[in-house]
Amino acid sequence: MILQPTHSANRLPSVLQEWGGIILGLLALYVPMYYALLTGLWTSQDQAHGPIVLMVVVFLAWQKRDAILNKSAVPPAVAVTLVGWVFLIAGLLSYVLGRSQDILTFDIGSQVLVFSAVLLITRGTQALKLMWFPLFFILFMIPLPGFLLDAVTLPMKIAVSTVAEQVLYWAGYPIARSGVVLQIGQYQLLVADACAGMHTLISLEALGLLYLNLVKHDSLFRNFVLALLIIPISFTANVIRVMVLTLVTFYFGDEAGQGFVHGFAGMVLFIVALTLIMSVDSLLQYFSKRMDAAKAKSANARVTA
């Protein structure tokens, strides 16, 4: 019995021949950057979503690998190749500026330009269209400027703490609020940035857009409405998280609220957000079917008339 080499094994030498140098160059550029992120920025609670976003990007890109590696693809036009080189130069300049000046926005953001350039030069616009969402998802790894975070985070925390206070007050709990500090019983809780800040909203927005990309609805209306509703869904999930932590502190004490349960509440946040997104999606599907049925019934009525 003679074992025949697999298709993947046959293709490996040609893939390495074409992509080996490119892969080595990209690794030389971005392995040091990711090592710095893993040992620095991503160790903070605010940026803990960074490694998750990276894994999602790798997973989404891996799903498109066969289409990208296909050598039978139509070679890119000269104009497309020139645009690719412009992207590459801009991306490398952004990378050099970001690394030399420690500006993570330019450092991390350069990947979008560099990877887009590689796709345009080697495979053309069709490959870039296939990979647009993984490239777009890289943006969720970029930390926002401090002035923008400060301007948005405080109003968000006030809004979340206000809604949480009102709901618990209506439920009969002895709760009051001063700014972003909640007083329930003998306990005081500060609504921190990690509980209701911009970083949490960005993480939940990324979760919602990933859900939209994976389910791939044909209805443009359904996708558009669900994308718009992700923001209020994220806000609601934040309110539920703050309420859970407040109630845990009220019933079990400050140590329980600030200990393991506080960390577990972050997981609850994403579970609640995903549940809300799927529930809203199911409602949209129900109304969409009703609308389609009504249109079909109206069309049949006109035909029979």
Side-chain angles (χ1 to χ4, degrees), residues 170-301:
W170 291 335
Y173 287 95
I175 188 169
R177 181 185 62 86
S178 175
V180 294
V181 177
L182 295 175
Q183 175 84 38
I184 184 166
Q186 71 269 35
Y187 301 107
Q188 278 191 343
L189 297 93
L190 173 66
V191 179
D193 293 355
C195 292
M198 190 65 180
H199 293 299
T200 305
L201 181 61
I202 291 173
S203 301
L204 295 178
E205 188 73 19
L207 175 67
L209 293 177
L210 177 61
Y211 174 83
L212 279 177
N213 180 260
L214 293 177
V215 296
K216 290 182 172 64
H217 293 314
D218 295 328
S219 172
L220 180 62
F221 169 78
R222 187 174 170 186
N223 286 329
F224 180 74
V225 173
L226 190 58
L228 287 179
L229 292 176
I230 288 174
I231 294 178
I233 286 172
S234 302
F235 179 83
T236 303
N238 270 315
V239 171
I240 293 174
R241 179 188 188 184
V242 171
M243 289 171 55
V244 168
L245 289 174
T246 303
L247 291 175
V248 167
T249 302
F250 179 69
Y251 284 110
F252 302 103
D254 187 62
E255 289 187 4
Q258 298 301 317
F260 169 77
V261 176
H262 187 277
F264 182 72
M267 187 181 299
V268 172
L269 172 72
F270 286 94
I271 293 173
V272 170
L274 184 58
T275 302
L276 289 173
I277 291 171
M278 295 175 67
S279 300
V280 171
D281 189 27
S282 299
L283 286 174
L284 290 174
Q285 182 182 19
Y286 171 76
F287 287 116
S288 179
K289 288 182 177 179
R290 291 288 299 270
M291 291 172 60
D292 292 341
K295 289 179 181 179
K297 185 177 180 180
S298 176
N300 291 333

Side-chain angles (χ1 to χ4, degrees), residues 54-67:
L54 175 60
M55 288 187 289
V56 170
V57 170
V58 172
F59 169 74
L60 294 173
W62 181 256
Q63 286 187 314
K64 308 290 185 181
R65 67 189 184 281
D66 289 333

Side-chain angles (χ1 to χ4, degrees), residues 104-206:
L104 292 176
T105 301
F106 293 152
D107 198 1
I108 300 173
S110 69
Q111 296 175 101
V112 179
L113 290 171
V114 171
F115 294 158
S116 297
V118 170
L119 293 172
L120 287 173
I121 294 170
T122 59
R123 290 295 185 267
T125 55
Q126 190 61 35
L128 186 60
K129 290 178 181 177
L130 287 172
M131 292 291 290
W132 79 267
F133 189 76
L135 291 172
F136 167 76
F137 215 74
I138 292 175
L139 298 178
F140 287 105
M141 285 191 285
I142 300 177
L144 295 176
F147 70 89
L148 180 60
L149 288 176
D150 294 338
V152 176
T153 297
L154 182 58
M156 283 182 57
K157 291 196 298 183
I158 292 176
V160 168
S161 57
T162 299
V163 175
E165 177 214 7
Q166 290 298 320
V167 172
L168 292 176
Y169 179 77
W170 291 335
Y173 287 95
I175 188 169
R177 181 185 62 86
S178 175
V180 294
V181 177
L182 295 175
Q183 175 84 38
I184 184 166
Q186 71 269 35
Y187 301 107
Q188 278 191 343
L189 297 93
L190 173 66
V191 179
D193 293 355
C195 292
M198 190 65 180
H199 293 299
T200 305
L201 181 61
I202 291 173
S203 301
L204 295 178
E205 188 73 19

